[in-house]
Amino acid sequence: MTDDELNTEVYYDDDADRSKIDDKTVAVIGYGSQGHAHAQNLADSGVDVVVGLRESSSSRAAAEEDGLRVETPVDAASEADIVSVLVPDTVQPAVFEDIKGELDEGDTLQFAHGFNIHYNQIRPPEDVDVTMVAPKSPGHLVRRNYEADQGTPGLIAVYQDVSGEAKEESLAYSHAIGCTRAGVIETTFQEEVETDLFGEQVVLCGGVTSLVKQGFETLVDAGYSPEMAYFECLNELKLIVDLMYEDGLGGMWDSVSDTAEYGGLTRGDRVVDDHARENMEEILEEVQNGTFAREWIAENQAGRPSYTQLKDREENHHVEQVGAPLRDLFAWGDEEGEEEEAAEAPADD
Ligand SMILES: NC(=O)C1=CN([C@@H]2O[C@H](COP(=O)(O)OP(=O)(O)OC[C@H]3O[C@@H](n4cnc5c(N)ncnc54)[C@H](OP(=O)(O)O)[C@@H]3O)[C@@H](O)[C@H]2O)C=CC1
Ligand SMILES: CC[C@](O)(C(C)=O)C(=O)O
Ligand SMILES: [Mg+2]
Ligand SMILES: [Mg+2]
């Protein structure tokens, strides 16, 4: 398929005008999954970066060790032309209240996910650009891909364009973090929020972990060894998804046996059936009408009681107890573990 056959325009390196960012200062607020990747990629691309972290932040040492200048969020925002808000969605409204006084006319307030703008938790001043550059990937891979001279696909969106250059600046920022190497699509804050929340709940994070757990439990409850069940339902999933990633569903079907293909084609829809589809539609509606957003905001205001309980249950699931020692035995286990620990920035919880 050529670019002409695509339904939407995809922007690559040549479409970005780096002069829109090269003489600007970017404040990256937060140094977690996305923050460390954006800050390091921008800096390696020659952009002036200052990281904004609170004095007590556990991420300060990591950012400084990575050679970045660190100030408080207020001081970083004060000297920046572009303020990239990369703290957790739930703390963004409070952080925004602290830094909003530092946004000068014509500055850019930028996000990697549109939750707080779309659900009106942040009301930006009218005289700044409001944009989004959202890599479609976990942050650690945004950094890893950049270092490997590869890219990460991303989205850009413009919510407010005071300067008349918001889109061009977003593309230049996408270039500097490596997204235009892989391709960038323009969207709206609404579309990004609704598809991102739906995708992570139904397929990528929620759906797939439930599928793994139910498959694992079914085998173990039927008397099969947990190790067998782990390899079958979790470990091999990565290898199957890698094939889909490289060459679509067809690439995967071509690689597995005819027996697997026939069994999968006849049985898959019995598992993820019409009932599952109805549930997907219901979940999408909760995203669209704000039910999920209200629930998540209230959950945070209450100190995250359900989140804490569910997280604890997940961490103690049998598949996790079986998997950890097995992964330690993998030949590459130590090396990868060390690399990830080094790259790992502190999480919000
Ligand atoms: N995770 C991902 O890969 C993706 C995330 N996004 C979006 O990117 C944004 C950032 O998410 P993510 O990278 O996961 O965030 P993280 O949870 O990884 O962010 C943690 C960072 O935020 C800082 N932080 C936490 N609370 C505060 C606070 N109150 N004041 C100042 N700094 C604080 C932490 O520092 P401290 O040590 O001070 O706590 C740490 O540096 C979100 O909008 C998210 O939806 C988009 C695409 C993918
Ligand atoms: C899939 C989860 C995600 O949307 C992401 C990595 O893209 C997130 O919010 O972390
Ligand atoms: Mg998300
Ligand atoms: Mg996402």
Side-chain angles (χ1 to χ4, degrees):
M1 189 182 256
T2 66
D3 268 9
D4 293 343
E5 293 171 89
L6 296 170
N7 294 314
T8 187
E9 187 162 5
V10 183
Y11 299 98
Y12 296 100
D13 279 352
D14 285 349
D15 300 308
D17 175 1
R18 280 289 300 272
S19 72
K20 302 294 179 201
I21 196 179
D22 280 347
D23 60 348
K24 292 182 178 162
T25 297
V26 179
V28 172
I29 312 295
Y31 202 70
S33 181
Q34 287 294 319
H36 89 284
H38 289 226
Q40 290 186 52
N41 292 3
L42 287 162
D44 287 352
S45 292
V47 177
D48 183 35
V49 178
V50 54
V51 175
L53 289 169
R54 44 193 176 179
E55 299 281 8
S56 61
S57 174
S58 57
S59 333
R60 269 189 170 245
E64 282 166 355
E65 271 165 31
D66 291 334
L68 295 159
R69 197 158 58 83
V70 183
E71 302 287 349
T72 63
V74 169
D75 289 344
S78 143
E79 63 174 276
D81 307 292
I82 301 171
V83 180
S84 191
V85 182
L86 298 177
V87 294
D89 297 306
T90 48
V91 306
Q92 287 180 11
V95 171
F96 171 72
E97 285 309 310
D98 288 344
I99 63 172
K100 72 178 179 194
E102 310 303 326
L103 294 170
D104 298 325
E105 186 180 343
D107 280 355
T108 300
L109 180 64
Q110 188 179 278
F111 299 89
H113 178 48
F115 188 99
N116 288 298
I117 292 290
H118 181 60
Y119 293 118
N120 297 316
Q121 300 304 297
I122 289 178
R123 294 178 194 276
E126 285 176 3
D127 60 356
V128 300
D129 287 357
V130 180
T131 62
M132 176 167 36
V133 176
K136 290 276 70 180
S137 158
H140 294 96
L141 297 182
V142 176
R143 178 60 183 159
R144 200 190 294 171
N145 287 344
Y146 180 94
E147 285 185 296
D149 285 329
Q150 291 166 3
T152 307
L155 304 176
I156 54 165
V158 175
Y159 179 78
Q160 215 166 263
D161 186 7
V162 173
S163 69
E165 300 202 326
K167 179 176 172 181
E168 286 69 27
E169 189 187 78
S170 303
L171 275 176
Y173 186 104
S174 303
H175 185 284
I177 64 169
C179 285
T180 47
R181 293 176 185 172
V184 166
I185 294 173
E186 185 174 16
T187 183
T188 61
F189 272 62
Q190 177 179 355
E191 187 180 50
E192 184 276 335
V193 169
E194 292 176 356
T195 53
D196 189 77
L197 294 178
F198 176 82
E200 66 201 19
Q201 292 173 19
V202 167
V203 181
L204 304 175
C205 307
V208 82
T209 50
S210 290
L211 194 64
V212 165
K213 285 181 288 185
Q214 296 285 0
F216 174 86
E217 285 171 21
T218 303
L219 285 178
V220 172
D221 288 353
Y224 297 98
S225 101
E227 287 76 16
M228 287 286 291
Y230 173 84
F231 278 118
E232 195 56 49
C233 298
L234 191 152
N235 188 72
E236 200 169 339
L237 181 63
K238 183 227 183 305
L239 311 176
I240 293 291
V241 170
D242 280 349
L243 293 173
M244 293 197 256
Y245 176 83
E246 284 160 20
D247 217 8
L249 301 182
M252 184 278 288
W253 289 129
D254 279 350
S255 179
V256 301
S257 65
D258 291 356
T259 309
E261 188 171 10
Y262 176 75
L265 289 171
T266 53
R267 268 58 181 175
D269 287 350
R270 279 171 57 189
V271 178
V272 185
D273 59 6
D274 288 347
H275 182 58
R277 174 60 182 262
E278 279 165 30
N279 287 336
M280 288 184 186
E281 285 166 5
E282 198 176 293
I283 290 168
L284 179 59
E285 215 173 295
E286 288 169 7
V287 166
Q288 290 168 332
N289 66 23
T291 302
F292 170 75
R294 283 191 292 278
E295 179 186 317
W296 179 220
I297 290 164
E299 170 73 9
N300 277 279
Q301 283 164 350
R304 301 186 159 195
S306 305
Y307 175 85
T308 309
Q309 205 182 15
L310 290 165
K311 204 170 148 70
D312 190 57
R313 198 171 75 188
E314 187 81 347
E315 280 167 9
N316 289 304
H317 192 279
H318 193 184
V319 76
E320 291 288 78
Q321 288 161 4
V322 173
L326 285 175
R327 288 191 297 274
D328 283 347
L329 297 176
F330 290 166
W332 61 88
D334 276 354
E335 200 187 313
E336 199 166 77
E338 277 165 22
E339 257 177 38
E340 267 170 23
E341 260 168 44
E344 195 77 39
D348 56 317
D349 43 21

